[in-house]
Amino acid sequence: MKRTDKKSPFKVPKNYFNHFDQNLAKQILSINPVNGFKTPDNYFQEIENFIVDRVNYSKLKKVHLLNYIWKAMAVACVITLFFINEKKTIDHNDLVEFFIEDYLIANTTYDIAEHSDYYFEMRNFIENYESIDVDDALEIRLYGESPSNLNLFDYE
Amino acid sequence: MLSPETREVAFKKLLADYKERLYWHIRKIVINHEDANDVLQNTFIKVFENMSKFRGNSNIYTWMYRIATNESLNLLSKKSRKFGISNEEWIEKQVNELESDVYFDGDAIQLKLQKAIATLPEKQRLVFNMRYFEEMKYEKISEILETSVGGLKASYHHAVKKIKNEINELS
């Protein structure tokens, strides 16, 4: 049997199928898609200005709040850093002072003259012992134990 | 990133161009003018706040419609939760109040149509409104609702069938 050409000779208007279901729905419902809803008079003019005002307000409010938060955080950071540095400086100074004082008490002038060769070693020593807590150092002192007693100075 | 001035100019343009379209889209979801007004404002505020995050993956119009749809559905959920009823019951209540609404002047047939639409499940209602009243293409609706075109066609088909039956029952 001769094969028939399946191509249909029929045509439809342009975009017919795109709007078919819509047109069908309108026919079925026999209603024009006007919905009966209304707005107050001049609503769309007024709402535009109202939204612009609201947005500007919320933008300002947000910027103010963010600025405030950032400023507060910056101040808090500066204060914290100041106290940390201050404490560190005090601790370090106290420690150095303590070691020098202890060194002077524990040694006679002759000893010191003799030890002068060790000056740089001593300086290194102090730097190495920066990690000693001031409270611990003071406790050692209260118990009458100097770093030299504890043989921390091993130059003898 | 947009400069504050560019952002403001762009926002005003979007507001001028889309306020009415978005309002009607929202209004058909929430029914009542006051609620539509609240949702429209929230939608534009969200648009403004998120403008710098918009990457252009979708059309700005689609993106704004998505925000408006989500905001409308959120409002429905809030209202219905407040009254301890479902979203559908809340919509039905709103539609029943349309007769006395000063911002509704539809005739008896339009009122009947709104009552029939109110009986649809949420998704079908959205699809029906967007397709029938707003005459949106399925591809656009699919982008806004993030659903397949096939699914939308099926939803619309079911919606039309149900509305037809509902109108016959109401007559």
Side-chain angles (χ1 to χ4, degrees):
Chain A
M1 201 175 131
K2 198 184 169 189
R3 206 175 157 216
T4 52
D5 188 2
K6 282 189 178 173
K7 196 179 172 190
S8 168
F10 300 108
K11 279 188 174 182
V12 292
K14 207 178 171 187
N15 292 326
Y16 172 74
F17 290 110
N18 291 346
H19 303 297
F20 175 77
D21 49 0
Q22 222 172 317
N23 294 336
L24 183 71
K26 281 175 201 170
Q27 276 178 19
I28 289 170
L29 302 168
S30 307
I31 297 166
N32 200 328
V34 171
N35 48 50
F37 291 120
K38 282 198 310 180
T39 59
D41 294 339
N42 301 322
Y43 172 71
F44 290 113
Q45 279 94 51
E46 284 163 15
I47 193 66
E48 195 171 324
N49 297 331
F50 190 76
I51 290 173
V52 168
D53 286 348
R54 255 192 89 178
V55 162
N56 285 339
Y57 172 71
S58 68
K59 183 175 66 179
L60 286 172
K61 199 173 154 193
K62 209 169 184 174
V63 168
H64 276 308
L65 191 66
L66 275 177
N67 273 349
Y68 174 76
I69 291 168
W70 282 114
K71 277 178 190 166
M73 280 170 72
V75 169
C77 283
V78 168
I79 292 170
T80 312
L81 285 172
F82 174 78
F83 277 111
I84 289 170
N85 282 335
E86 179 92 339
K87 195 169 189 296
K88 208 173 174 181
T89 315
I90 291 167
D91 290 352
H92 177 73
N93 290 343
D94 282 356
L95 203 62
V96 171
E97 207 175 286
F98 170 75
F99 278 115
I100 292 171
E101 199 182 321
D102 193 70
Y103 175 76
L104 293 171
I105 292 167
N107 297 279
T108 63
T109 321
Y110 292 109
D111 291 333
I112 293 167
E114 200 177 310
H115 294 158
S116 62
D117 291 345
Y118 297 103
Y119 173 76
F120 290 107
E121 280 178 43
M122 161 90 170
R123 193 174 164 179
N124 288 338
F125 176 83
I126 291 170
E127 278 173 10
N128 288 336
Y129 275 82
E130 270 182 20
S131 57
I132 293 178
D133 190 71
V134 175
D135 292 336
D136 291 343
L138 290 172
E139 201 177 332
I140 291 167
R141 202 171 186 187
L142 278 173
Y143 287 103
E145 292 172 317
S146 67
S148 52
N149 290 342
L150 294 168
N151 292 324
L152 295 173
F153 295 95
D154 58 355
Y155 48 81
E156 283 182 349
Chain B
M1 201 169 155
L2 293 174
S3 71
E5 292 77 20
T6 315
R7 197 172 156 210
E8 211 166 310
V9 171
F11 177 72
K12 281 184 180 167
K13 173 96 177 99
L14 288 177
L15 182 60
D17 290 353
Y18 292 106
K19 62 178 188 293
E20 280 193 50
R21 270 185 273 182
L22 286 182
Y23 172 85
W24 291 118
H25 173 67
I26 295 165
R27 178 78 187 267
K28 276 180 231 93
I29 303 175
V30 300
I31 308 291
N32 163 319
H33 168 72
E34 297 307 324
D35 289 344
N37 181 35
D38 285 346
V39 174
L40 184 72
Q41 290 180 38
N42 291 342
T43 299
F44 274 107
I45 284 168
K46 284 230 163 131
V47 166
F48 182 77
E49 286 173 349
N50 294 291
M51 264 170 85
S52 49
K53 288 182 204 159
F54 177 72
R55 290 281 169 265
N57 298 335
S58 60
N59 191 312
I60 193 137
Y61 156 88
T62 310
W63 177 66
M64 287 167 70
Y65 257 80
R66 200 179 301 150
I67 296 175
T69 309
N70 290 339
E71 286 294 309
S72 307
L73 296 179
N74 285 347
L75 180 121
L76 290 185
S77 301
K78 264 189 221 165
K79 294 263 175 171
S80 53
R81 217 179 306 133
K82 195 175 163 189
F83 287 86
I85 53 176
S86 69
N87 285 8
E88 283 76 16
E89 283 171 321
W90 171 258
I91 287 296
E92 244 179 282
K93 186 177 174 289
Q94 294 303 301
V95 170
N96 287 333
E97 286 169 9
L98 274 179
E99 272 169 290
S100 55
D101 191 334
V102 286
Y103 298 124
F104 183 81
D105 67 355
D107 54 25
I109 300 172
Q110 282 159 349
L111 189 63
K112 209 181 273 183
L113 175 62
Q114 286 304 324
K115 284 184 178 173
I117 295 171
T119 62
L120 297 174
E122 193 166 88
K123 195 182 165 193
Q124 283 181 20
R125 203 163 69 86
L126 285 175
V127 177
F128 183 82
N129 280 334
M130 288 159 107
R131 184 73 187 149
Y132 182 74
F133 291 114
E134 298 172 49
E135 303 187 345
M136 254 188 219
K137 287 188 173 169
Y138 281 120
E139 288 72 21
K140 255 303 164 260
I141 305 174
S142 146
E143 281 176 44
I144 296 166
L145 301 180
E146 294 172 314
T147 324
S148 72
V149 171
L152 291 175
K153 284 182 180 173
S155 291
Y156 185 73
H157 176 76
H158 289 306
V160 170
K161 223 170 145 184
K162 276 188 201 167
I163 288 172
K164 195 183 156 194
N165 290 338
E166 198 67 33
I167 286 179
N168 286 338
E169 272 179 36
L170 288 169
S171 301

